[in-house]
Amino acid sequence: MQHEIAFDLETIANQNVLSTLPPAKASVGNLKDPEKIRAKQEEAQIERVKKAGLDAHHNRIAVFGWCDGSDSGRIMLDDESDEAESRLLTHAWGLLANYSRFITFNGNEFDIPNLRLHSLFFRIRPSVRPDTKRYTIGNHIDLRAILTNWSPMAHGSFDFFC
């Protein structure tokens, strides 16, 4: 078993979920012009799709990227189907099973909850259990948590800290 692996997820809005939601509501204020109202509604829908990509209940894991110091790679969706995401998750957990320590940036708040929730949806048993307990460093190191003193509301993106 190898020791450490850093990984990151990239997500997209799950169109299967978005299609079941009611239309996005736009604040049109005092607008009367139907074209302007329609444009506001389109903006609201675009914003909903952006936010859905970051919400574990409305997104789909599109990429699992990783690096272990000597090797790196990515697992990508073949298409936007449930079967493709299930294959990606199965492959990702199979890869993670070979390591004993996990490194993420914002993994406590995003990557690990997304992996767990989506795996539950597809009935995929996780091969490892990265620690997500606040104020501790076990088998999982969340760099963002450490750099922000475990404050999930603190400002600071990956680019900012780099």
Side-chain angles (χ1 to χ4, degrees):
M1 178 177 289
Q2 296 185 20
H3 192 56
E4 296 176 339
I5 185 171
F7 69 90
D8 185 44
L9 302 181
E10 298 301 327
T11 58
I12 57 174
N14 185 335
Q15 296 301 322
N16 293 343
V17 173
L18 289 180
S19 67
T20 65
L21 299 175
K25 295 191 181 209
S27 174
V28 294
N30 294 330
L31 292 178
K32 303 283 188 242
D33 183 353
E35 282 299 311
K36 289 181 180 178
I37 292 171
R38 188 179 56 74
K40 280 283 196 185
Q41 289 170 330
E42 287 175 7
E43 288 174 18
Q45 186 62 28
I46 290 168
E47 191 61 29
R48 171 188 267 176
V49 171
K50 285 180 187 176
K51 287 181 180 178
L54 298 175
D55 180 344
H57 298 94
H58 298 120
N59 68 12
R60 184 177 298 283
I61 297 172
V63 180
F64 176 91
W66 58 273
C67 179
D68 67 8
S70 62
D71 196 12
S72 64
R74 67 181 178 268
I75 306 163
M76 298 178 64
L77 284 179
D78 300 326
D79 55 55
E80 291 188 36
S81 68
D82 287 347
E83 295 78 17
E85 186 178 14
S86 178
R87 285 191 302 272
L88 181 149
L89 289 164
T90 300
H91 192 171
W93 285 116
L95 180 67
L96 291 173
N98 298 310
Y99 298 88
S100 59
R101 177 166 281 171
F102 312 97
I103 304 166
T104 63
F105 185 87
N106 203 32
N108 286 346
E109 302 296 325
F110 186 79
D111 301 271
I112 294 172
N114 269 274
L115 277 174
R116 289 178 176 162
L117 183 64
H118 289 248
S119 297
L120 179 66
F121 176 76
F122 292 113
R123 297 185 174 160
I124 298 168
R125 184 178 297 268
S127 60
V128 293
R129 188 176 176 153
D131 298 329
T132 56
K133 187 175 179 184
R134 288 180 86 182
Y135 311 116
T136 60
I137 298 173
N139 71 350
H140 171 230
I141 300 168
D142 182 337
L143 297 173
R144 186 178 192 291
I146 293 167
L147 292 168
T148 63
N149 197 26
W150 275 271
S151 174
M153 303 306 286
H155 294 288
S157 65
F158 184 75
D159 287 342
F160 170 81
F161 286 110
C162 287

